[in-house]
Amino acid sequence: MGHAKEQTLGEFIFEVWCARNYIFSSAFLCVCLGAIILFFSIPQYKAVMVVGPALYMDSASSHTRSSNSVQYSDAVGAFDSSALLLRFMSVYEGAAISEIMLQDKRIIQGLMSDKKFIFQQADEDWNAPKLAHYISKRVVLNQVGESDLYQLHYQHQNPKFAEYFVRFVHGTSDMLIRNLVLKDINGRIDYIRAALSDTVNPELRRSYADMLVEQERALMLVSTSEYFAAHVVEPPYVQARPAWPSYGIFCAFAALIGGVIGYIFYGLRNMQQNQGVDGEALPERHWGWSNTVAENMNNKKDSFSKSDAAE
């Protein structure tokens, strides 16, 4: 049993040249099909927002810790900027903020009009779990290089709604974290006040009084108008050009796929033509798609050798 001869680079290039009509025709058809798809597509605009750690919390807590206040250091331990930012990353795509966002009519209207193609049917039935899944897929949080900054971006056909949606997601998540921390601090304040009123020991009363002062100071920091968990480094803005679809990349990819399909079709056609009349395959000469390529090259070599001998 003979071994198949490996196809050389020259034979492959010659075979591609022979299949040029199939390749170009298939690529042209795929580009036309891609153009039709692009015609029915709806451009999506990207809204970008840059957030970072709430640095003012670090400066306030470090200044107070330098005043030899152990109780306040424990009280503001939850205010670590990195920990709060990580908490923001886990909260912004949860069901808790989804329930708050569904109370806004503008959010619901924008979600009901969200689609990428004209013939596509937009989802009109929204609830908290579905919106949480939507946010986890569509609202992306990417780190900016090696810094502590993060880009929060979202795409929608309406650029104004995209900007509003990103701002709403950030503001709602930050407000939710702030309210949870306020609830914990108020609970500690109520407990300390009750313990202070029931204690007659002067040393314990002094300790409770110091703890109460520190908790009230922490309450003042949390109640500021600044963003609590994720500070806004750059407000939301919408890019001028649509982020999707990318017409150049889409057409180039369609042409590449079409060319590959045309080459495969050419190879299959030649394999079918090379089958014998009785159904038996001709001897295999190389590992290429077409045996006729090698035969044509061999015939040219024979003609050159005969012409040399005649001379």
Side-chain angles (χ1 to χ4, degrees), residues 52-55 57-58 78-89 148 150 229:
L55 299 178
M57 285 297 179
D58 287 343
F79 294 173
D80 179 68
S81 59
S82 300
L84 285 172
L85 189 59
L86 291 175
R87 191 172 182 180
F88 172 83
M89 295 178 189
D148 294 333
Y150 289 84

Side-chain angles (χ1 to χ4, degrees), residues 47-49 51 88 91-108 111 131 135 139 152-154 159-177 227 230 232 235-237:
V48 181
M49 182 180 189
V51 298
F88 172 83
V91 167
Y92 86 92
E93 57 185 15
I97 70 165
S98 300
E99 294 179 357
I100 301 175
M101 295 181 65
L102 289 176
Q103 299 175 7
D104 192 316
K105 294 182 179 180
R106 186 175 177 182
I107 294 292
I108 297 177
L111 292 174
L131 180 56
I135 293 175
V139 181
L152 194 69
H153 54 83
Y154 166 74
K160 292 184 179 180
F161 176 78
E163 179 181 347
Y164 179 79
F165 192 83
V166 170
R167 191 188 302 273
F168 202 98
V169 168
H170 171 264
T172 306
S173 304
D174 194 89
M175 179 190 66
L176 183 62
I177 296 174
Y227 288 108
V232 178
Y237 66 92

Side-chain angles (χ1 to χ4, degrees), residues 141-250:
L141 190 68
N142 292 330
Q143 187 175 7
V144 181
E146 300 296 331
S147 64
D148 294 333
L149 304 180
Y150 289 84
Q151 272 191 349
L152 194 69
H153 54 83
Y154 166 74
Q155 296 182 11
H156 194 269
Q157 64 186 33
N158 187 346
K160 292 184 179 180
F161 176 78
E163 179 181 347
Y164 179 79
F165 192 83
V166 170
R167 191 188 302 273
F168 202 98
V169 168
H170 171 264
T172 306
S173 304
D174 194 89
M175 179 190 66
L176 183 62
I177 296 174
R178 184 199 299 270
N179 291 339
L180 293 175
V181 175
L182 282 174
K183 183 179 179 181
D184 294 339
I185 294 177
N186 287 325
R188 288 195 293 266
I189 289 176
D190 293 339
Y191 176 81
I192 294 173
R193 285 176 177 173
L196 183 60
S197 62
D198 295 339
T199 302
V200 295
N201 189 315
E203 294 183 359
L204 288 178
R205 289 182 63 86
R206 189 180 303 110
S207 298
Y208 283 135
D210 292 339
M211 293 172 61
L212 182 60
V213 170
E214 305 307 339
Q215 291 295 327
E216 290 178 347
R217 197 175 300 174
L219 180 63
M220 178 187 65
L221 287 175
V222 180
S223 302
T224 57
S225 59
E226 296 289 336
Y227 288 108
F228 178 68
H231 181 68
V232 178
V233 178
E234 187 170 1
Y237 66 92
V238 179
Q239 297 178 349
R241 301 182 61 182
W244 185 92
S246 179
Y247 298 100
I249 296 177
F250 192 88

